[in-house]
Amino acid sequence: GENVEQHPSTLSVQEGDSAVIKCTYSDSASNYFPWYKQELGKGPQLIIDIRSNVGEKKDQRIAVTLNKTAKHFSLHITETQPEDSAVYFCAASRKTGANNLFFGTGTRLTVIP
Amino acid sequence: EAQVTQNPRYLITVTGKKLTVTCSQNMNHEYMSWYRQDPGLGLRQIYYSMNVEVTDKGDVPEGYKVSRKEKRNFPLILESPSPNQTSLYFCASTPGGTYGELFFGEGSRLTVL
């Protein structure tokens, strides 16, 4: 099955700086890569996703890049704010639905005011 | 309000005492699934259901049962809980299709003594 590795496990940045979280996947057939944000005491929530037919996607301060050849994808957060502090999970899937999404181990991001 | 509701949110129980964690969604989603979240291991799928009366094992199904008698409900049953089932549990649903966002409940923290 798919194996998703995520780094770093913890990340602290100063407010206003950028944060980058990296993930690698093992299954070359994976074609969908979502990122979820989990705030304290809440369930994870989708923040951005990318499909294998594109190399980059942006949504305001958040961007995701995908390198299919190297089988890695990254989350970039610019101009970080305290409310960006959360645990972030990457995931990979051949298709969606409840049965084929494999999650990374999570990154706890702390934005220091 | 569209949501996934889990109960109980917190539970402390003892080894061997059967318990059920309920999950209900009001979005008419086809897919539902259960995950457990453990430090350093991320989110791992326990069971999933693609529709009423259709369930299947995820990555870590041992010690758990599920049922899907109605579209909106997907309870997780621990017939004889053990301490290694102490974890944070999340129910999720998705409409399915090609690329579907997972909607998570707020989590149920279970401690088995």
Side-chain angles (χ1 to χ4, degrees):
Chain A
E2 174 67 275
N3 180 44
V4 178
E5 294 190 358
Q6 183 172 348
H7 299 281
S9 56
T10 60
L11 178 61
S12 292
V13 299
Q14 291 291 137
E15 182 177 357
D17 287 350
S18 295
V20 179
I21 302 170
K22 299 182 179 181
C23 289
T24 61
Y25 61 98
S26 60
D27 187 351
S28 57
S30 289
N31 58 8
Y32 174 63
F33 307 92
W35 286 87
Y36 283 80
K37 175 184 181 182
Q38 183 181 24
E39 297 178 345
L40 195 61
K42 301 286 188 182
Q45 188 170 11
L46 180 70
I47 55 171
I48 195 168
D49 57 14
I50 191 168
R51 304 173 195 180
S52 60
N53 58 345
V54 298
E56 184 176 5
K57 183 177 179 180
K58 289 184 179 179
D59 183 3
Q60 301 182 353
R61 297 184 297 107
I62 293 173
V64 57
T65 58
L66 171 65
N67 183 327
K68 287 178 59 180
T69 303
K71 289 190 282 189
H72 68 69
F73 56 112
S74 300
L75 178 71
H76 304 254
I77 306 174
T78 59
E79 301 172 20
T80 53
Q81 301 167 3
E83 52 265 37
D84 294 329
S85 295
V87 177
Y88 292 81
F89 290 98
C90 63
S93 173
R94 288 187 183 185
K95 62 178 182 180
T96 58
N99 55 318
N100 274 304
L101 201 56
F102 295 88
F103 285 88
T105 51
T107 297
R108 181 174 299 278
L109 173 65
T110 303
V111 179
I112 304 165
Chain B
E1 180 189 356
Q3 59 186 3
V4 178
T5 304
Q6 298 178 224
N7 280 296
R9 294 288 313 280
Y10 302 91
L11 179 64
I12 300 174
T13 189
V14 295
T15 299
K17 186 176 181 181
K18 180 179 178 180
L19 68 92
T20 299
V21 186
T22 64
C23 174
S24 180
Q25 52 93 6
N26 62 1
M27 295 169 280
N28 200 38
H29 285 171
E30 300 280 337
Y31 291 96
M32 297 186 74
S33 58
W34 277 101
Y35 291 85
R36 61 178 289 174
Q37 182 178 0
D38 301 290
L41 296 177
L43 291 156
R44 295 179 293 167
Q45 191 179 60
I46 303 170
Y47 266 95
Y48 64 94
S49 170
M50 296 174 69
N51 213 327
V52 175
E53 302 291 0
V54 179
T55 64
D56 209 344
K57 297 177 180 179
D59 299 320
V60 287
E62 294 77 21
Y64 305 95
K65 286 175 58 177
V66 293
S67 68
R68 187 94 182 272
K69 293 184 171 60
E70 303 167 281
K71 195 172 187 178
R72 63 183 292 129
N73 297 323
F74 191 44
L76 180 69
I77 303 157
L78 285 73
E79 293 272 2
S80 182
S82 62
N84 64 11
Q85 292 179 297
T86 293
S87 187
L88 179 59
Y89 291 87
F90 287 100
C91 180
S93 71
T94 178
T98 306
Y99 299 106
E101 175 181 354
L102 275 176
F103 292 83
F104 284 87
E106 294 205 316
S108 296
R109 184 167 292 282
L110 171 65
T111 301
V112 184
L113 302 176

